[in-house]
Amino acid sequence: MTTKLFGEPVQRREDARLVTGQGRYLDDLGPGALAAAFVRSPHAHARIKDIDVSAALDVEGLVAVYTWEDLPGALAEPLPLLIPHPALTHGRTAYPLAKDIVRHVGEPVVMVVAADRYLAEDACALIEVEYEFLKPVVGVEEAAQGVHLVHEDVPGNVGAHLVQEVPSREGRSAAEAIDAAPNRLEFRLDIERSASMPLEGRGVYARWDADDGSLRVYSSTQTSTSVRMAVAAKLGLPLPKVEVIAPDVGGGFGVKIVHPWPEEILVPWAARTLGREVKWTEDRREHFVSSAHERAQVQHVRVGFDDEGHVLGLDVTILHDHGAYTPYGIIVPIITSTQLLGPYKIGAYRVEFSSIYTNTVQVTPYRGAGRPQGVFCMERTLDRVAAYLGKDRTEVRAANFIGPDEFPYDQGLIFQDGRPLVYDSGNYPESLRMLKELIGWDSFPEMKARAAAEGRRIGIGIGCYVEGTGVGPYEGGHVQVTSDGRVHVSTGLTSQGQGHETVFAQIAATELGVPIERVSVVTGDTRRFGYAVGTFASRAAVMSGNAIALACRKVREKALRIAADALEADPRDLEITDGIVHVAGTPSASIPLATVAVLSNPLRYAFDEETKRATQFSGTSAPDRPPVDEGEEPGLEGRDYYSPIRSTFASGMHAAIVETDPETAEITILRYAVVHDCGKLINPMIVEGQIHGGVAQGVGGALYEKMVYDEHGQLLNASFMDFLMPYATEVPRIETAHLETPSPLNPLGVKGAGEAGVIPVSAVIASAIEDAEGIPIDRMPISPSDLHTLRLRLAG
Amino acid sequence: MSEETTRHLVTLVVNGVVREAAVPARRLLSDFLRHDLGLTGTHVGCEHGVCGACTVLLDGEPVRSCLTFAVTVDGHEITTVEGLARDGEPSPVQRAFTECHGLQCGFCTPGFLCTVTAFLRDNPAPTEEEALEAVSGNLCRCTGYQNIIKAVHRAAEIQAETQVRPGDREGRA
Ligand code: FES
Ligand code: FES
């Protein structure tokens, strides 16, 4: 087995357990644990008058019933506001169990613990909550009028308001640049709500060890380290007495980065209070009404441009619907505002957003996190510019591209990490060239004409994006070589199907020169690695990948030092191949890494034949030096962190050909092409998989998925029956091509790939439908009946 | 004892082994397999019959275990994802999903594996269309399906090469 594995399509090491039913997801743990269930608000906005639990008390197997009044200390306080921002002047978070007022359907009001879930739900059904109705505030524009309030103390329902402005090189404001431009357009663009919707919902399982005074929590989370800190703080426990583990997680896509969820602190608290194991597994309806959604935004655009299509001034005003609470701050509209600019240099830019409360489920990042909206905005704008000027859409894009020689390129804005938005590298013209070739852009007009001759309508669309990936602040990696020659890698961030066990093992095997079979990887387990941020923003490969590489380099250096002593060689002449340290060019002068690991740890007591070498009478240590030299530590292990100055910027371009049925308005994607640049590829098979999955979610967002709230704040389609996620029959075959522009910011030259696929899809499909139909498409998703309505409107 | 808690003895053959548990009438087959028999490989993604994650083979045919009461399948034979491998060797379908990167988080996977196993037993050499159709009742939020469809064809290939028909064991002979 070769040890050069970086860049190879190595098969996943996760799969052996996952295809045999041996994975361990949250609900697979803790057989026999008590089950928690929740009484949730059936109303969008109401005051709790009374909670009567008496009827539930007779339920067989009932263990406990809790309301807000039962919660002690910090548990009774509102949940943390995770990402404060100066513009978020009116941030509000929920109580773990509602106190006095409920602000969306699904808000937890009572927690029940019983022998099993069936019984817990029986008890929930018998609990009577009396409500006094308050006026529900639904729809971002209605909410922005501020007639009725979601929070009494938040005037106008405005949680945050932020303006960012970048003047042109000549010092003109966006307004001035637009007014002075030879051509101007103004329009509105809408995107509706969707959601991450992982196939496994949330879940928490907690065990309290009364003898030890310690708590072990398993959570289906994207950040176990941060859940740990939150649980310790909320329960008043010393941090070392709390461990949090993310087991196998059945998808996250953003929603599971939010924490602590009410259930994530209530279940551990109940476990500790009751001295019993307690588990809560979210059901699908709960996931719809009590986790998080994303995407809904209304965007008003003003653009000024010259006759070549150069954008001279761009002014975007965004109304962002963040739902009832803001635990995750205003990251989504910040990302929209900044990443909207994509691969382009814009003359002058002004962006303003208002983030508005409504009586709906809270909004937090979902794969893409505000970028799909931003890209929809920018790309629709460029399509309109092209249409206005009668130019090819790709020509207008090319006219505005940042050139390959203009990096690092400073967009003049502040990004989601609080740092300047400076692109590190990219090659946008080449990407466009590849995409046009892949989809056959230049020959499409003939194809379209041929189709038209057969009475068919087809159209082609394009969308480009830049994605800031690998945001800080940091991740770490720990690498230990044990005396059996095995390599144990751990990192604190978590996995939800991205194949981290495989790619991190590839990195470690490559760096250390060991067979990948000897490498094992643990993620998201605070017992193994306590310092981490989490998995989001396409950051795992960049952050933990580099941290692990750096940790491996430390281990390698130490291994060579010890081996050099043993072999009486110069460490600079040594190499490691297949787990054996040897003198370059002289394979016979060698020592296995396993032996190096033994020698790294001076022993008094041997525990097997091999370790006898490291004991004090073995003659291996120099008598005139301390067994552990100054500055050294026992053991062949290393820990390092990667903390980049700022994000690294991946990019990509997608194109699609769609067909619209002249009769039924059915929309079919005939072809879908992706050119993707995430720097150096660690595992191309896994990157492609990420792209496929992202595009599929993008297709969902473009054609099918939306959260339908009625005026009472009831979510009308809270099931898989009614919220339409694509099946295999709805997703086109995705054709991909890769460009590898390494990032100069990190040792591996990698950029993130997790979110990319989803980002431009709504823009691309809108562009293609518009091309097929000749009707402006300014709102996504679009269904056949929406298209039909647009046709009627245009006709009549 | 209320109707909710009265227990009924359910005896099944699961993955070739006789299993027995006393459960309330309302116990779903999915919960029965997962929590009474400890076979947690069968997953629950919606509990309303749409996602297919809970698919198992009932007398060889795919069914949604979240829409089936355990008491209604007393005396029948069930195959779950834990029973697809033979003598410790992954089945052609399991191998193909791994080779083709047909899974990411793996949560939907047991349902796909059971569905595809039954499908290829009945149709060992499917066309593109048929393969697509076969998996179009199962939701996956991670993969975009492309590699799953690839895996169906690859499984057919492996099956043909090894001449082992993965459905044979739970075949309806
Ligand atoms: S869990 Fe049975 S179909 Fe979704
Ligand atoms: S692999 Fe995650 S849902 Fe299919």
Side-chain angles (χ1 to χ4, degrees), chain A residues 162 614-615 755 786:
Chain A
L162 184 66
T615 52
E755 296 171 278
D786 296 333

Side-chain angles (χ1 to χ4, degrees), chain A residues 6 22 81 172 288 378 381 506 534 582 712 715 731 782:
Chain A
F6 190 100
Q22 300 307 313
L81 202 166
R172 271 191 188 147
F288 271 98
M378 189 73 216
T381 301
Q506 285 178 258
H582 60 91
H712 307 293
L715 183 58
V731 180
I782 181 167

